[in-house]
Amino acid sequence: DSSGGAYASMSLQDVKRLANQGDPRAQYTLGRRYANGDGVPQDYRAAKDWFLAAAEQGHIAAQGKVAAAFWSGKGARQDYSKAYYWALLAQAGGDKTAPAIVMNSAARLSPAQIQAEQKQAEQWLHSHHIGKAD
């Protein structure tokens, strides 16, 4: 369950322990807690950092959250290239919010930036055995 169902009911201490051990579902859950101020002070930067840790391991919903953070500038410096990259990854995994971020970010990027981010996303997907191989 990518939403972290069982993790949502765990104590903050247990979620943090698992997140620090590299569990992407716990990292995503911790990101949500920081984003929502659930049992911790609301902290968009900490939320983005935990979402990013999970996203780098292929957690699709976390990839969408990272894309949204870079798009909105919440918890990260606004960066349409990074928003586009992470949204491409999330979209490839089936995230429902990602296509809008892909489209809206692309409108703010040059063709060269779009091509560079697409190439990087394809390399990531290939190295993680997601999507079609060339």
Side-chain angles (χ1 to χ4, degrees):
D1 178 19
S2 67
S3 66
Y7 290 73
S9 61
M10 282 185 185
S11 73
L12 180 63
Q13 183 179 356
D14 287 343
V15 172
K16 280 186 173 179
R17 179 178 48 78
L18 291 169
N20 284 316
Q21 291 172 356
D23 182 319
R25 291 170 299 181
Q27 292 167 338
Y28 176 77
T29 301
L30 197 51
R32 286 185 53 141
R33 287 190 178 189
Y34 277 107
N36 298 325
D38 178 14
V40 295
Q42 191 172 47
D43 182 339
Y44 292 120
R45 183 173 301 277
K48 187 268 303 171
D49 290 344
W50 284 113
F51 287 141
L52 185 59
E56 288 172 341
Q57 296 185 70
H59 191 289
I60 295 161
Q63 291 170 342
K65 295 288 190 186
V66 171
F70 282 118
W71 166 256
S72 67
K74 270 190 173 178
R77 182 181 305 222
Q78 194 169 44
D79 185 326
Y80 297 122
S81 287
K82 288 182 180 177
Y84 183 74
Y85 168 78
W86 285 107
L88 285 173
L89 297 182
Q91 180 176 263
D95 184 85
K96 301 294 184 230
T97 62
I101 297 173
V102 168
M103 185 178 68
N104 290 316
S105 296
R108 290 166 169 78
L109 300 175
S110 71
Q113 288 173 306
I114 289 170
Q115 186 176 13
E117 297 303 335
Q118 286 176 340
K119 182 177 180 181
Q120 187 179 351
E122 286 169 15
Q123 289 171 342
W124 189 94
L125 292 167
H126 181 72
S127 70
H128 289 78
H129 307 291
I130 300 169
K132 63 179 193 270
D134 295 30

